[in-house]
Amino acid sequence: MEKVIFLFLRQMRVPLILLIVAYAISIGGLVLIPGRDDQGQVWHYDFFHAFYFVSFTGPTIGFGEIPYPLTPAQRMWVVFTVYLTVISWLFAIGKIFALVQDPAFTRAMSEARFIRAVRAIREPFYIVCGYGETGSRLVRSLVNRQIRCVVIERDPEHVADLHLEELALDVPCMCGDASVTRHLREAGLRLPHCVGVLALTGSDRANVKIAVTSKLLRPELQVIARVASREAANNLESFNTDVIINPFESFAEHTGLAVRAPSIHLLHRWLVSLPGNPLDASVCPPRGHWVICGYGRFGQAMTRYLNAEGIDVSVIESDRARVDAMRGNLPDRLVVGSATDPEPLHEAGIESAAGVVAGTDDDANNLSMVMTAQQINPRLFRIARQNKRDDDDIFRAARLDLVMEPSRVTVWQVLSLITVHYLAAFLAEARRQDEAWALALLERIREATGGLTPQTWMTRLNRQDAPGAAQLFERGSEIRVGHLRQDPRRRERKLPMVALMHVRHGQHTLLPDDDFALQLGDRVLWTAREGLRDQLAWLLHNPDQLAFAMDGQERPVGAIGRWWFKQRRARKSA
């Protein structure tokens, strides 16, 4: 706000001085020039009434000659006053119009509004740095989950897109460089309600600067940064960044996981998707020879993870300069050429290949590569990289087996980290399990949700989040996992919920059964169809309903209910 006041006073200094001088001269003249009252006596304006008269005369409002008719001398002075003040006001108004169109002033006003909006937030919020493909998708997902966020974006067009977006929550947005420390402070980095910073700009250098600044100024904050190079990732690790996301590495890792354990890969997709959508089918990339088109960051990651699964890979790269720069670090089977042409594909062995990956940064070329390869070998498993969200329709029409969209991969990982605590830990533990374990869990989730993607959440058994359960724990009652799955309306029926993981003092227990005993302070990770979370929360807040779910005995509520219950017991005992 200080900047707005400074710019206003700097631009309006001359108009304000001119108005003050004009009013001073006009008022002084009216005070000095004598007039006549209704008795013909000499009469002078005092300063207050002179100011009053000039105030409605200067803007050409006019109420007439008050309190007495003016003398010719006074009328001559009033004519001079009108022209003097009107010209001064026109000059001042022109300066005001110029000021409100000044880019520096409009930027200062926008920043002031942004700062006020951020300071008005009284809930936990995240600072999202970057509103491009990834940032816009993430902000929409966070708002859909009722999570507050603040955005810093340097591209004015993207800022305008956010203002036009129909979101359920107000999202303050600043047009500026998120790597500038001042902008992070203005976005609420030091405010107590700020719980994390998400560095999702398109520049690794900017993301590193954002993460480093956030960790140095607020070491306790959760900082998640997206990078596309190993050098940037190594730099962030030295500053103890909480999570470093490389979408190319993540997708390649999950592709390798789908080859090795498709059920565990499918479990990950189900648990991080928005609830209420049809469940995805299992994706099983085949083993055999694969052709990678493009040996950039994505192509290198895919080559590395497929090789780790024992899959033979041929690479096609059209950029000869990149090939020359990577001498000594190239795959054994490399073809230099464009994969949009059939010849390099034939040379790479596409006829006998099991799969093809189109991984360049051009969506049209990626689709062309996949379609050309499919014409040669219709049995191919097809993976293509999608760089622009606007191309959703054409990639959907291509009916590919897998689409690598960096923004979607990043958002999936971020959501699993910040929306549901311990979901990332559960998924990490799940990767160590075998296919039989994953298949059994997938079937349990399918039955519990009726074929729709589940809602996943963490329940904390403490006095704040589960006061009803806390009261029973303090009375010495034993609460088991099965008690929390009891339907409070029909005790003979179990709620279709799956307990994914139990956490106690940092120790994790996967898939605790109904007889698993709970303690005060425990945490349980659940997944179920959308809506059951509220039922469980109501049960945990109501000790009488929870006790009824445990032993089936009804308990009176309130003083009258307890009195009536005692009277009924007394009659029965008599």
Side-chain angles (χ1 to χ4, degrees), residues 161-186:
D161 291 339
L162 174 57
H163 291 321
L164 295 174
E165 192 79 37
E166 294 183 2
L167 300 174
L169 299 176
D170 178 46
V171 179
C173 180
M174 168 192 282
C175 185
D177 187 354
S179 63
V180 177
T181 305
R182 175 174 61 86
H183 292 163
L184 286 172
R185 288 201 305 267
E186 292 172 347

Side-chain angles (χ1 to χ4, degrees), residues 127-146:
I127 300 176
V128 179
C129 303
Y131 194 74
E133 295 283 338
T134 304
S136 59
R137 191 187 296 272
L138 177 62
V139 167
R140 192 180 303 106
S141 299
L142 292 176
V143 169
N144 289 340
R145 290 167 170 80
Q146 299 298 307

Side-chain angles (χ1 to χ4, degrees), residues 78-132:
V78 169
V79 170
F80 170 76
T81 296
V82 170
Y83 282 105
L84 178 62
T85 53
V86 167
I87 292 173
S88 301
W89 273 114
L90 289 176
F91 178 68
I93 293 173
K95 279 290 188 178
I96 291 175
F97 280 123
L99 178 63
V100 297
Q101 297 177 25
D102 184 2
F105 184 77
T106 55
R107 180 180 179 84
M109 287 291 293
S110 177
E111 289 185 5
R113 287 193 297 268
F114 172 78
I115 293 172
R116 286 198 304 270
V118 172
R119 291 179 178 175
I121 298 177
R122 294 294 180 264
E123 316 168 56
F125 69 89
Y126 288 87
I127 300 176
V128 179
C129 303
Y131 194 74

Side-chain angles (χ1 to χ4, degrees), residues 181 184-185 189-190 197 208-223 235-236 238-242:
T181 305
L184 286 172
R185 288 201 305 267
L189 180 65
R190 290 187 176 275
V197 178
V208 169
K209 175 72 181 304
I210 294 166
V212 170
T213 301
S214 302
K215 271 301 179 184
L216 290 177
L217 296 181
R218 290 282 304 277
E220 75 279 8
L221 280 186
Q222 182 184 28
V223 178
N235 195 354
L236 288 172
S238 63
F239 283 91
N240 298 321
T241 303
D242 296 284

Side-chain angles (χ1 to χ4, degrees), residues 268-332:
H268 182 280
R269 296 185 65 177
W270 284 7
L271 294 180
V272 300
S273 299
L274 283 173
N277 297 315
L279 290 171
D280 293 332
S282 179
V283 176
C284 302
R287 292 185 175 275
H289 177 64
W290 280 63
V291 176
I292 308 293
C293 305
Y295 200 61
R297 296 166 298 183
F298 179 48
Q300 294 174 38
M302 287 294 296
T303 300
R304 189 165 54 255
Y305 279 96
L306 289 177
N307 285 339
E309 298 299 330
I311 294 177
D312 181 47
V313 171
S314 296
V315 174
I316 303 175
E317 174 56 53
S318 60
D319 190 348
R320 188 171 294 276
R322 174 180 292 170
V323 173
D324 294 338
M326 297 182 66
R327 291 293 181 188
N329 192 28
L330 294 172
D332 297 333

Side-chain angles (χ1 to χ4, degrees), residues 507-565:
Q507 300 297 318
H508 302 163
T509 302
L510 296 182
L511 304 182
D513 58 24
D514 285 350
D515 293 329
F516 190 93
L518 300 172
Q519 296 180 8
L520 187 64
D522 286 358
R523 303 184 182 198
V524 182
L525 183 67
W526 298 93
T527 190
R529 61 178 171 81
E530 193 173 12
L532 289 181
R533 177 179 184 175
D534 295 335
Q535 291 192 37
L536 177 60
W538 179 75
L539 188 67
L540 293 173
H541 277 74
N542 193 319
D544 295 325
Q545 287 296 332
L546 181 56
F548 174 75
M550 293 167 58
D551 55 24
Q553 298 182 9
E554 294 185 4
R555 289 164 174 81
V557 178
I560 296 177
R562 285 191 291 270
W563 174 84
W564 179 83
F565 187 74

